[in-house]
Every structure is written in C-alpha cells, then in structure tokens.
Amino acid sequence: PHVMPRPSCDSTASQYVSLWPLPQKVKILDLSFKLTSFNIVDAKESSAGSSCSLLQDAYRRYYEYMFGIAKRQGPRKSRLTGPSELTELQVWITSPDSECDGYPSVTSDESYELSVDLPYAVLKAPKVWGALHGLETFSQLVYEDQYGAKSINSTAISDFPRFAHRGILLDSSRHFLPLKVILANLETMAMNKFNVFHWHIVDDQSFPYLSRTFPQLSQQGAYHPYTHVYTPADVKMVIEFGRLRGIRVVPEFDTPGHTQSWGKGQKDLLTPCYSGSKPSGSFGPVNPILNTTYDFMSQFFKEISTVFPDAYVHLGGDEVDFTCWKSNPDIQKFMDQQGYGQDYKKLESFYIQKLLDIVTTTHKGYMIWLGHFRLQSPPFFFFLLLILILLCMCAVEMANVTSAGYKTLLSTPWYLNRISYGQDWHGHYKADPQDFNGTEEQKKLVIGGEACLWGEYVDATNLTPRLWPRASAVAERLWSAKDVTDINDAFNRLSVHRCRMVA
C-alpha cells in the first residue's frame, strides 16, 4: 500500500507543536534544522543491529510517513552539508537484550529519550518498544518550512507511559470486521501509543474465529463459513502486525453467557431452556453441570493458549441471564445436590471456578469483566498468579476492587460506541482511572484502561470515523502525566494530530 507523507498542519497554536500524546518531558527550541538528505540508522553501540527486522521495518515505515515513497537516501556522499542540516537519526537500544524477537507484555519497558541536535539526532531506549514510540514522536516533530523543506527543531524529550495497559476493544462478532480494517486500526493505535488490542472476537451473534480443534464452531456459528471468518493465518497476521508496532493482542472468549453462536456448532454445550415440563427449543448460557462442557473448554482453551502468545486471555463472565438455568429441571436437581438453594450466583461461581482451573493449567493469566461476581463471594481467585478485572462502573467500585487487592483497568467512561452530536471528546479526556478515594497502594493497582467500541452499530463502513480521533483523548489520558489537563492546548494539538491521522 502507498503511504502518504504526513501533512504539515499549522501547529503554531501550541508550544508543544503537534505532539500527541504529550511526552512526560519536552523542551523544544526555536532553532530549526533541515532534513534534506536524511536517514534513520542503528547507533554503533546499539544492541539491535541490521538483523532486527522489527526496527528495520519501523525505520522504513517512519521514513515513508515523513518523506513519502521517495527513494530512501543511500550512504551520504562526502559533499558538504549546510550548517543547519540534520542527516541522521541514530537509534540506540541500550540494554543487552533488545527484545527484538519477543512479544510486548504488561511489564515491557516503553521508555525512550530523544535528542534532536547537531551533528545528529539520537533516540535512546532500553528496549525496542520504547524505540517504536520514539520514532512516532520524532515523526510528529517534522514539519515543512515556508519553502516546503522538511524541517525539525532542536528538541530534548524524555518519555514513558503513565499506565502500562492502554487498550482499544473492537467487537468482531456483532458485525464482522474485515482484516484490513483491523490492521488499519492497529496502525492508528501505534500513532497514539496504544499498546493493547483487546479482540472481542466472538459473542452471541457470530463465531468468526476458525478453530483448528473445533472447526464446526465457525462453520456453523459464523455469518458465513468462508468469507466471514478469521483463519489461523489471519490471526497470525494480526498478532505479528501488532507485535511490530509494540501492540499486544488479548483475545476475549466470553462465557458462560454471550455464547449463542457457540451452540450452533457444539452440541450439548448450551443449557436447554424449558417451558413448563418440556424443552422450549431455545438455549441459554453454557451448561455448567455436564462433564462434557469442561472437556470442551479444556481442549478449546488449550488451543487458544498456543494461538495467542500474550500472557493473558479475557474470559468475559458478564451479564449471565439465569432464566434458562432456573427453567431446567436437571439444573434445579444439581442445585439441590450442591446445596445452592435458589442462589444461581453460586452456580455461576461453580462454573467460573472450573474454567479458571482449566485456564490456569495453560499457564495464562486472565481478565474478567467486573459485575460478574461479588467481592464477598468465595475467594476463588486467591491462588492465581495474576488477575485483572476490567469494567469498573464507578469510583466506588474502583475503590472496592482495589481495596480487595485486585489489579484493575477502567473502561466505563470510554465506551466510544456511545455517540452524541458535536465534540464529546472532552468528557473522555477528563476521565481519570485514578480518580477515586483510595490509598496510594490502591491507586498503583490501577494499571490502565481501555476505550471500547462495541459493534451493534459499527462495521467496516463507520469504524474508523467513530473511533478516531475520539480514542486519541483516551490515549493521552493513559500515556501523559496526570496534570496534563489543559483542554485548549489539547484541542490545538489534537486538531493537528487528526490531520496527520487522516493523511
């Protein structure tokens, strides 16, 4: 695909030109350099060299962002350069293991330092993940002077993210999202320093994930068994495209509710609903009383753990409707045997506990939506290495969850599928994951947040304009310092950043 050079938008309105998200420390001088014969190269001291395809790929990509497809400069001729000509950006990975061939994780070091000065600019980062962010920042500093010459000002930046988990959720079940839309979104995420793609890949409506172990799930459960599925090669491509941009891919397979599409290809997985003493022909959540359910889940999540390299899988666990369970005589009998009475929350906990045991054997950590269990219910999470709870409905719940010692993410104020007329990004920009009454220790347990785009009214035709630049507001909240709250300065920078994303 052709990459258009980024536009030079008028950025004089903000002292930080058009940087987004705003770095932790920035100093820009009124001294400009021309970029006439410019290259991005590895620094001699760097632990990553020409064999690091992640960085080589990034150098090529950012060169094309800044200068278009014009042929990259070869080695510099010995001709004299002007006194204010910057010829190189040297990228220096400072730690012995650059992590070039690894995957990003929640503990990745994403920090970098950027110095733009003569004789050359230097980008220093402990790991490749910080270098990727630094390249993005460098590209945002480039502008055209009044004669159309590519220029950059003398700059010193020291930068790192405020939160480790900065995510975007896309829903590919309510409407199927073609691969190119997902890849374009990953590209845009990188421009905003997001680092987690939360892939809500299946739900009631459709099951587009093509499972090698259970191919009948998508064969029967997808909108179309060939055109509306993600093949193993598609999934691999998404994961690698993300990795090359420092983005983790966390899949969500939500159970026991939200599973209507699973039942089409997997007999006896869902609970038969009853009308009086007879089955009604409809089905409810996953059937939690059959051994075959857990045999299936065990095989299925074993596959998921090998297909998706991230340390986490999202298990959903929200919005379980108990009506069908209540109508089913076999389930009522099981409830009596277990001594659960009429407390179907206990049956849900029974299912979740068995699922967590299964997922733990695959050596994955997991995330769930809050609201799925009560904090005073049996402490079935305490044996786990790591547990993250997503969806926190309000500051009170953030306080409750963190006081119980759970790592937490915020997503409620950032449901970007909810739209209104005009500029609604101000509210998204002002929301802060740590705005609740709690101790410093509690606030440290908040490791970030996610902007969610649920798919009831979103498909390939409107995903990008609905999500961006509104998600950029969330990106800055999750990356920049807590005191970066000036809406007017943000507006000036965001206007330029939007212009850059459009190009």
Side-chain angles (χ1 to χ4, degrees):
H2 288 292
V3 182
M4 291 295 291
R6 295 188 174 187
S8 306
C9 309
D10 177 26
S11 56
T12 52
S14 170
Q15 61 168 322
Y16 302 116
V17 286
S18 59
L19 293 173
W20 194 280
L22 192 66
Q24 302 290 337
K25 283 187 190 154
V26 193
K27 192 175 180 187
I28 300 174
L29 300 182
D30 196 14
L31 170 64
S32 73
F33 308 123
K34 301 276 172 291
L35 299 172
T36 36
S37 60
F38 180 79
N39 267 322
I40 307 173
V41 298
D42 295 308
K44 279 196 280 291
E45 311 90 336
S46 179
S47 64
S50 57
S51 64
C52 177
S53 57
L54 179 146
L55 280 183
Q56 301 306 318
D57 191 68
Y59 299 165
R60 194 161 46 247
R61 191 165 68 246
Y62 279 102
Y63 187 92
E64 289 171 4
Y65 273 163
M66 295 182 282
F67 303 104
I69 303 284
K71 183 171 170 354
R72 297 177 74 195
Q73 306 293 334
R76 194 155 50 84
K77 305 278 190 294
S78 60
R79 72 173 184 83
L80 291 170
T81 55
S84 61
E85 218 171 289
L86 191 71
T87 57
E88 274 185 352
L89 169 62
Q90 296 192 0
V91 180
W92 180 4
I93 307 300
T94 57
S95 75
D97 177 12
S98 69
E99 294 184 8
C100 182
D101 298 319
Y103 288 93
S105 74
V106 74
T107 57
S108 289
D109 188 334
E110 298 178 276
S111 65
Y112 67 93
E113 287 177 14
L114 179 60
S115 154
V116 180
D117 206 346
L118 295 180
Y120 42 76
V122 178
L123 167 57
K124 275 168 75 167
K127 307 286 182 185
V128 292
W129 319 118
L132 290 170
H133 296 317
L135 287 166
E136 176 58 41
T137 299
F138 184 89
S139 75
Q140 294 185 6
L141 290 165
V142 174
Y143 63 94
E144 284 181 5
D145 69 9
Q146 70 261 44
Y147 307 109
K150 297 283 182 186
S151 308
I152 191 167
N153 279 24
S154 175
T155 305
I157 287 175
S158 175
D159 201 12
F160 56 88
R162 178 180 166 203
F163 292 107
H165 184 118
R166 306 177 306 282
I168 294 279
L169 177 148
L170 295 185
D171 169 2
S172 60
S173 171
R174 270 64 180 233
H175 286 89
F176 180 78
L177 299 174
L179 199 58
K180 68 176 184 181
V181 173
I182 292 174
L183 300 182
N185 191 65
L186 288 167
E187 192 77 85
T188 318
M189 284 171 65
M191 293 174 72
N192 290 271
K193 297 185 170 72
F194 277 108
N195 67 349
V196 178
F197 170 35
H198 175 168
W199 195 352
H200 188 88
I201 191 167
V202 300
D203 207 296
D204 281 329
Q205 289 81 356
S206 75
F207 197 105
Y209 171 76
L210 201 167
S211 164
R212 279 203 170 107
T213 320
F214 300 101
Q216 71 279 13
L217 288 170
S218 61
Q219 190 72 29
Q220 304 296 324
Y223 286 132
H224 187 285
Y226 305 117
T227 60
H228 285 54
V229 293
Y230 302 109
T231 65
D234 293 336
V235 172
K236 213 169 183 171
M237 183 185 277
V238 168
I239 291 165
E240 182 60 7
F241 197 91
R243 186 188 82 85
L244 291 174
R245 288 156 183 78
I247 297 169
R248 299 162 52 202
V249 178
V250 175
E252 179 181 352
F253 291 92
D254 191 354
T255 67
H258 290 275
T259 46
Q260 289 298 299
S261 67
W262 301 51
K264 294 191 173 79
Q266 188 62 23
K267 195 174 174 300
D268 298 331
L269 180 65
L270 303 185
T271 306
C273 308
Y274 276 68
S275 182
S277 61
K278 293 195 183 83
S280 66
S282 62
F283 294 88
V286 165
N287 191 333
I289 70 170
L290 299 180
N291 289 336
T292 51
T293 292
Y294 301 103
D295 294 340
F296 165 80
M297 291 297 173
S298 185
Q299 287 183 70
F300 182 73
F301 279 102
K302 189 176 177 189
E303 175 189 322
I304 296 310
S305 73
T306 60
V307 170
F308 292 91
D310 198 81
Y312 286 89
V313 60
H314 198 301
L315 301 176
D318 61 322
E319 302 173 330
V320 183
D321 184 353
F322 297 147
T323 316
C324 186
W325 282 354
K326 287 175 179 171
S327 76
N328 184 298
D330 294 331
I331 289 201
Q332 288 168 3
K333 191 173 158 192
F334 181 84
M335 294 280 288
D336 291 340
Q337 286 168 352
Q338 296 289 323
Y340 292 163
Q342 290 301 301
D343 188 352
Y344 286 85
K345 276 273 168 208
K346 287 184 176 160
L347 182 60
E348 184 186 5
S349 291
F350 171 84
Y351 168 80
I352 292 287
Q353 174 63 66
K354 286 181 85 72
L355 181 64
L356 297 187
D357 290 345
I358 286 165
V359 173
T360 306
T361 64
T362 70
H363 306 293
K364 293 284 187 193
Y366 46 73
M367 311 184 190
I368 55 171
W369 294 105
L370 179 65
H372 139 77
F373 72 101
R374 295 286 167 268
L375 287 170
Q376 59 267 35
S377 68
F380 47 64
F381 297 124
F382 289 178
F383 67 92
L384 247 195
L385 312 162
L386 288 158
I387 170 68
L388 298 166
I389 301 144
L390 269 173
L391 184 60
C392 283
M393 298 309 291
C394 62
V396 174
E397 291 203 355
M398 288 295 268
N400 288 343
V401 174
T402 51
S403 69
Y406 298 113
K407 288 181 180 170
T408 312
L409 299 166
L410 180 69
S411 62
T412 308
W414 297 320
Y415 271 33
L416 301 188
N417 47 290
R418 296 180 184 144
I419 53 172
S420 57
Y421 189 69
Q423 297 196 36
D424 60 356
W425 66 274
H426 291 184
H428 305 141
Y429 191 73
K430 287 174 180 168
D432 192 293
Q434 291 180 326
D435 276 356
F436 62 90
N437 288 329
T439 64
E440 278 310 300
E441 288 309 303
Q442 279 177 266
K443 293 191 178 183
K444 279 188 192 140
L445 288 169
V446 181
I447 60 167
E450 293 188 353
C452 303
L453 195 70
W454 296 102
E456 285 87 355
Y457 305 103
V458 174
D459 65 8
T461 63
N462 64 349
L463 182 144
T464 299
R466 187 155 300 187
L467 188 54
W468 308 102
R470 295 160 73 234
S472 299
V474 183
E476 180 149 293
R477 182 55 52 236
L478 293 173
W479 179 280
S480 303
K482 188 176 172 64
D483 61 2
V484 176
T485 52
D486 182 335
I487 282 278
N488 293 327
D489 182 68
F491 177 78
N492 290 330
R493 287 181 295 109
L494 187 55
S495 302
V496 185
H497 185 55
R498 176 184 181 273
C499 177
R500 192 162 47 221
M501 289 193 289
V502 167

